[in-house]
Amino acid sequence: YRKKLLILNFITHYMKKNIFQRQQMLFWILIAVVLLPVLLFETAVLSKGGVTLSGTMQYFTEVAGVFITIGLIPLALKKFNTTITTAQINDEAFLKRCRRACEIRLMLLFVVIMLNIGLYYATDNNSALYCALAGALAYLFCFPKNRITEEK
């Protein structure tokens, strides 16, 4: 019985460590993907401000970017926030749900950042840049940590 318990604890520890390593790798990969178009636009490989919109369309793109930012940032920060307790660490299904929640959270913020960076470089719109910076700041608060809270 003790041998089985040790094996189960080792497998659980390895799964938990593997999940957090994958989440951290996804975090850094998405940062690299965000920085790639910024680098291409800033080094003039791609042309900046290539889309000219009428006044009404410009307004609607600004409002759409702001509304998407306002909607997705709180959703990502509050809805998909999970803390693992010691009782749940042995539950494989819970760890998979936790991993999925972290991935959804990072992808929602990735969409906010990429959409607003695209709008900024396409239309030279400063409000899209501010929304992208707000998304990037929220993204930094979502760094996957290997933190487990003790049950009281």
Side-chain angles (χ1 to χ4, degrees):
Y1 174 74
R2 185 178 169 116
K3 199 175 206 181
K4 286 182 182 179
L5 186 61
L6 286 173
I7 292 172
L8 180 64
N9 284 339
F10 175 75
I11 292 171
T12 304
H13 175 72
Y14 177 75
M15 276 183 47
K16 178 181 66 79
K17 186 177 178 184
N18 192 17
I19 287 172
F20 288 114
Q21 285 176 347
R22 282 184 183 180
Q23 290 173 349
Q24 288 176 350
M25 186 173 65
L26 176 66
F27 180 86
W28 292 112
I29 287 171
L30 292 178
I31 287 178
V33 169
V34 165
L35 291 177
L36 181 65
V38 172
L39 181 69
L40 292 175
F41 279 111
E42 292 298 325
T43 57
V45 173
L46 297 174
S47 62
K48 186 176 173 182
V51 178
T52 307
L53 299 173
S54 66
T56 306
M57 250 348 248
Q58 179 80 18
Y59 172 75
F60 282 126
T61 57
E62 288 177 17
V63 169
V66 170
F67 280 162
I68 289 171
T69 302
I70 289 172
L72 291 183
I73 287 178
L75 179 69
L77 292 179
K78 190 68 177 160
K79 180 72 174 169
F80 296 104
N81 187 13
T82 55
T83 303
I84 301 173
T85 61
T86 52
Q88 296 166 327
I89 196 67
N90 294 326
D91 187 9
E92 182 179 335
F94 177 78
L95 288 175
K96 287 183 180 179
R97 285 194 312 267
C98 183
R99 186 195 73 197
R100 175 63 65 199
C102 182
E103 290 171 357
I104 291 172
R105 183 181 202 184
L106 291 176
M107 292 308 288
L108 285 173
L109 294 172
F110 175 74
V111 165
V112 168
I113 296 168
M114 285 303 289
L115 173 77
N116 285 305
I117 284 176
L119 283 174
Y120 172 70
Y121 282 115
T123 62
D124 237 358
N125 178 6
N126 284 339
S127 67
L129 179 63
Y130 297 138
C131 290
L133 290 174
L137 181 64
Y139 189 81
L140 293 178
F141 284 105
C142 295
F143 183 74
K145 296 180 219 65
N146 190 3
R147 182 181 67 199
I148 300 171
T149 60
E150 294 292 328
E151 265 191 72
K152 297 180 180 177

